[in-house]
Amino acid sequence: MTKRWRRTGAQLIWETLLGEGVHTVFGYPGGAILPAYDAMLDYPIRHILVRHEQGATHMADGYSRASGEVGVAVATSGPGATNMVTGIATAMLDSSPIVCVTGQVGSALIGTDAFQETDVTGVTLPITKHNYLVTEVDEIAPALHEAFYVARSGRPGPVLVDITKDAQQAFTQRRPRLGKVDLPGYRPEPRPPESELQSAAELINRAERPVILAGHGILISGAMGQVRELAERARIPIAMTLLGIGAIPANHSLNMGMMGMHGESWVNQAIQEADLLLALGMRFDDRVTGSLKTYAPNAAKIHIDIDPAEFNKNVRVDVALAGDLSAVLAHLLPVIEARDRSEWLGSIRGFKGDTAVRDIQNLPDMGKLYAAHVIHDIWRMTGGRAIVTTDVGQHQMWEAQYYRHNEPRSLITSGGLGTMGFALPAAVGAKVARPDDEVWVIAGDGGFQMTMCELATIAQERLKLNVAIINNGYLGMVRQWQEFFYDRRYAGTPILSPDFAALARSFGLGGEVVKTRQEVEGAVERARADERTVVLDFQVEKEDTVYPMVPTGARLQDMIRRPGQEADGDPESEEEPVAAGRTVEW
């Protein structure tokens, strides 16, 4: 007699995840998710035990960004689920597809303030693409199947599936029928009308001073080759957003570099003098635009994005093309004309002049160790081929400036939310996704302390990472703002740190302190050669500053420059410099 098919809800969780191609999850067990953990032992799932549930979400995020696949994090109810909130919000702001599976108290206890009960679907509603509360065993597989579809389709993002403990424990004899997902009202891949495509082509073909704004959507769509083809055929220079870095090789002749608050002065000047901006998979974030009233005042604007909600949200555009970037460019490229824009490209070279602010020779050590030295040397010694993860702050901007990324998905950083503590767990996810690649963490001493508990995860999993802590004894970017705008009143920014090298060694990992420029190369060589993860504590100059900088609300061209660098004057400007004692480029 044939044995009848029968499964628990817990078993269906893992069978559905396997069906979605998942073989690794990052998580932390607890009472409400315990049935799922018990069932997990019978399935070919690699579970990576984190030390904090925030770490699980960042690891899933790093896994997703490095691989292009959906990352999965698992936690229990109550505090386990709420500990995931920062990581979920990080993934939401940066369009990273992750699925979070949380346990929930039994359905009969919902609403009773039971032990470890939290309305996690209510808590996460604003920071997920969608979420589910599953109370019946037969709803588990369909909800998870839909969750993966929603997470990876359209503009990617996080989805949470909250499953009650009794649904995990219950049995069912109904096999799930998981076919094509069709959600009423959800249209993840809009298509622009032909008339709008034609309008965009006409604007591009007749523009004399166009600039491509290259965003994260290029990487998400996989449109790197098409964007290069567009730029090369039409000879259009490219400005990068922070999350777009790597979409176009840094050494490409048309890649001007990063735009915005801490971008290159000549890039911002090109944007301000352009007659056309072609925004590809980016959202006109405030750190990119500066003052909206004065942003690219003479430029027509074309915006291509898969999310129509981004159109005209911050910047009014002339043509909005809603759709997957790769698909839109496939229609647009055949009608884009080859152009000679050497005059415009020559003008941009003139904007750049001989400032060469990224030339490390312009930063002599004077007996001191600077973050720029460290990051430049790591870039040089890795050949620019490593995956780098960062937190947010000064070190993040220095990495974007001094580590030149030529490969896609090689910079993994928290852009939209600006999450301290992101770098270390995200690197774990990236290393699991791409075990043969070299992975470097570049973190500040403040952010590293937020998730340094994940060193234990690294040790338990025997992962090989390299960690560079830019240790300046301050919450550096906040201190920089206090220096510029609060008369150096350093309230709450000096920070005491442990002996990071000794901490690493306590986990059986490598650890070393570096205090001079002459020590950097040897320390990096030893770290790379060591089979273990190595933490390098780079004790850099304490009051170093990220230059240039556009103050919040200022015009994009009003950049605070490094003292000693001459700036072009603007005798017609009636505005005052935004920071006393600092040279401002008008």
Side-chain angles (χ1 to χ4, degrees), residues 1-7 11 171 173 175:
M1 182 176 179
T2 303
K3 188 175 180 179
R4 193 167 185 180
W5 187 91
R6 190 169 183 258
R7 296 288 189 274
Q11 290 174 311
F171 285 92
Q173 294 179 338
R175 288 180 182 268

Side-chain angles (χ1 to χ4, degrees), residues 65 89-90 93-94 242-243 283 285 396 413-419:
R65 297 197 207 196
T90 301
L93 265 290
D94 287 351
L242 174 65
L243 291 179
R283 56 190 178 87
D285 176 80
Q396 179 190 38
T413 188
S414 175
L417 195 65
T419 304

Side-chain angles (χ1 to χ4, degrees), residues 104-142:
Q104 183 55 276
V105 300
S107 54
L109 295 175
I110 291 178
T112 69
D113 291 334
F115 178 67
Q116 291 193 334
E117 181 198 357
T118 300
D119 177 12
V120 70
T121 54
V123 168
T124 61
L125 184 63
I127 55 170
T128 53
K129 281 190 72 177
H130 193 53
N131 62 30
Y132 300 80
L133 172 60
V134 180
T135 61
E136 301 289 340
V137 62
D138 289 322
E139 297 173 354
I140 290 175

Side-chain angles (χ1 to χ4, degrees), residues 120 215 338 366 397 483 504:
V120 70
M366 296 179 291
M397 294 297 99
E483 176 188 352

